[in-house]
Amino acid sequence: ERVKLLGQRSDVKELYKTADLYLHPSYREGLPVAVVEALASGMPIACTDIRGNADVVRDGINGILVAANDVNGFKNAIVKIMNDSGDIAKTNSEDAKVFGVAAVNERMFDIYFGQEN
């Protein structure tokens, strides 16, 4: 009764405002856009410690990384986030800017045209 699976939505920004935390128990990711969206919204995040997610979430700083299939790890992450005084529960949307359109376009331009940062 406390968990709702809503499917694809176009009002994600509004939904983030009503949520307590963001869980992302994925097995495979490239660039996890949904995790970046949650980070940008300031949501505390608990997600699997896999490529993609681990590139975005800094464990213990802006979220918690949990091993795939670790149900107790997710439970512990939820409890920690909900009991946290604000260190993890208040993520920094500045972290998400690294994955924003402008930053990605600039990096891709550098890659394609051979200029290194």
Side-chain angles (χ1 to χ4, degrees), residues 22-26 28-29 32 34-35 45-48 50 53 74:
Y22 179 81
L23 298 177
H24 195 86
S26 178
R28 286 187 197 93
E29 291 293 331
V35 175
I45 298 167
C47 64
T48 45
I50 58 171
N53 292 351
F74 267 103

Side-chain angles (χ1 to χ4, degrees), residues 61-72:
I61 297 172
N62 62 5
I64 298 175
L65 295 171
V66 179
N69 291 324
D70 186 356
V71 174
N72 283 327

Side-chain angles (χ1 to χ4, degrees), residues 96-117:
K97 288 182 181 177
V98 172
F99 302 98
V101 173
V104 171
N105 283 344
E106 180 179 332
R107 183 65 182 135
M108 294 307 294
F109 184 87
D110 289 347
I111 290 169
Y112 286 127
F113 296 103
Q115 298 177 13
E116 293 296 320
N117 287 338

Side-chain angles (χ1 to χ4, degrees), residues 20-96:
D20 295 318
L21 66 133
Y22 179 81
L23 298 177
H24 195 86
S26 178
Y27 288 107
R28 286 187 197 93
E29 291 293 331
L31 175 60
V33 175
V35 175
V36 174
E37 288 175 350
L39 187 65
S41 75
M43 292 293 301
I45 298 167
C47 64
T48 45
D49 188 5
I50 58 171
R51 77 180 163 102
N53 292 351
D55 294 327
V56 176
V57 173
R58 295 178 293 145
D59 190 37
I61 297 172
N62 62 5
I64 298 175
L65 295 171
V66 179
N69 291 324
D70 186 356
V71 174
N72 283 327
F74 267 103
K75 179 194 78 142
N76 294 336
I78 292 167
V79 170
K80 183 173 183 167
I81 288 170
M82 297 312 293
N83 290 328
D84 186 57
S85 65
D87 294 337
I88 293 174
K90 301 295 180 193
T91 60
N92 186 348
S93 64
E94 292 294 314
D95 289 344

